[in-house]
Amino acid sequence: MQVESGSKQERNSKFDHYSKQAAKPVGQFQPSNRTKHKPYKTTWKKGQKLDKNQRREVQYERKHYKHYDKKYPNFSGTFARGDCTNWASQDRLHAAGGMTSRDKHARKHFGSGNRISTKHSKWYCRHAKSTLFGLRKHWNYSTSWTTVKGFYKYWAGTKHRPHFVTSSFRRVMAHVRVGDVIQLHSKKDGWHHTVTVSKVAKHMVYYTSHNKNRLFAPLTKIKSLTGLAKTNKIRVIEMGI
């Protein structure tokens, strides 16, 4: 009886072993199958330094990525549209971007009192006269300064800056330089977020952004404006700094 019990126990043990093996889904990722990540290629070159405009831009980013510049409006509040493109425009301006003249026919926004231009040929943001004894600020600006779509239409359309759309992070990494602008797309929100390249290392690209204030954040960790929408396309505008 002891021999039979031992044989039965041995058979059950073998059965349990093969059952566990069969229970593993075919092709399921296992830690033992982990392959090492292939390093990203970037535009980094040994000994290469930032040019004058790039240095000026990065200096501005260091100073104001967290402490917003009061010379410009702040759109990061609860009821605002978001400050990401406004921040990218400030970056570009301080890298010798150059504002256009304001639109004399820009309409006055009823709620804010700001004068906003939708012309694709305009790119500017200026402080207007204050009201209520200087307590309330008004601004004159174009949507190309503050919105994702407007910024793209001005720089890629009016100014003819080189640009491309891709779903590959590797392609982005291999092409961008400090000062280039990246925009994100999701099926839920469309083109909805703008960031600026702030650093290029040997195997990584870093960006700066507002709303969620970032200075040297890895591009591989980038999230959308809401943190919920999944990025499925990336648009790069080469600013030629």
Side-chain angles (χ1 to χ4, degrees), residues 19-82:
S19 295
K20 288 177 181 179
Q21 289 291 98
K24 292 182 179 180
V26 177
Q28 183 181 24
F29 174 80
Q30 300 293 332
S32 59
N33 298 331
R34 186 186 297 273
T35 56
K36 194 170 183 179
H37 182 292
K38 184 180 179 181
Y40 288 104
K41 291 183 179 180
T42 69
T43 57
W44 176 89
K45 291 182 180 179
K46 186 176 181 179
Q48 186 178 46
K49 296 181 179 180
L50 299 179
D51 63 26
K52 182 180 178 180
N53 290 337
Q54 289 172 322
R55 290 197 303 271
R56 187 188 293 119
E57 184 174 24
V58 174
Q59 287 172 359
Y60 182 80
E61 292 167 356
R62 288 179 182 274
K63 186 176 181 179
H64 292 292
Y65 85 97
K66 187 182 294 184
H67 304 288
Y68 288 23
D69 193 340
K70 294 182 180 180
K71 293 179 183 178
Y72 305 95
N74 182 348
F75 297 107
S76 62
T78 305
F79 299 103
R81 296 186 301 271

Side-chain angles (χ1 to χ4, degrees), residues 62-131:
R62 288 179 182 274
K63 186 176 181 179
H64 292 292
Y65 85 97
K66 187 182 294 184
H67 304 288
Y68 288 23
D69 193 340
K70 294 182 180 180
K71 293 179 183 178
Y72 305 95
N74 182 348
F75 297 107
S76 62
T78 305
F79 299 103
R81 296 186 301 271
D83 201 60
C84 62
T85 308
N86 178 35
W87 175 236
S89 290
Q90 292 173 46
D91 276 346
R92 177 59 186 172
L93 180 68
H94 286 81
M99 288 187 193
T100 65
S101 60
R102 69 182 181 88
D103 180 4
K104 296 180 180 179
H105 304 289
R107 293 184 179 183
K108 188 174 183 179
H109 187 266
F110 178 76
S112 65
N114 299 326
R115 290 192 177 275
I116 307 171
S117 172
T118 57
K119 286 187 176 180
H120 300 153
S121 59
K122 297 292 184 179
W123 182 74
Y124 66 91
C125 181
R126 294 182 174 87
H127 181 247
K129 291 182 179 180
S130 300
T131 58

Side-chain angles (χ1 to χ4, degrees), residues 207-220:
Y207 72 92
T208 180
S209 68
H210 266 187
N211 296 321
K212 292 183 178 180
N213 303 331
R214 301 287 186 268
L215 178 58
F216 297 121
L219 189 61
T220 51

Side-chain angles (χ1 to χ4, degrees), residues 86-182:
N86 178 35
W87 175 236
S89 290
Q90 292 173 46
D91 276 346
R92 177 59 186 172
L93 180 68
H94 286 81
M99 288 187 193
T100 65
S101 60
R102 69 182 181 88
D103 180 4
K104 296 180 180 179
H105 304 289
R107 293 184 179 183
K108 188 174 183 179
H109 187 266
F110 178 76
S112 65
N114 299 326
R115 290 192 177 275
I116 307 171
S117 172
T118 57
K119 286 187 176 180
H120 300 153
S121 59
K122 297 292 184 179
W123 182 74
Y124 66 91
C125 181
R126 294 182 174 87
H127 181 247
K129 291 182 179 180
S130 300
T131 58
L132 294 176
F133 306 101
L135 297 176
R136 184 175 181 182
K137 288 185 178 180
H138 290 301
W139 304 90
N140 291 330
Y141 61 84
S142 60
T143 52
S144 59
W145 183 279
T146 60
T147 68
V148 176
K149 182 179 179 180
F151 187 97
Y152 174 77
K153 285 192 172 182
Y154 177 75
W155 287 105
T158 304
K159 301 297 287 183
H160 306 292
R161 296 307 312 166
H163 57 280
F164 64 87
V165 178
T166 182
S167 58
S168 169
F169 263 104
R170 290 193 176 275
R171 185 183 177 193
V172 174
M173 295 279 192
H175 283 82
V176 296
R177 303 177 186 276
V178 171
D180 287 347
V181 171
I182 297 172

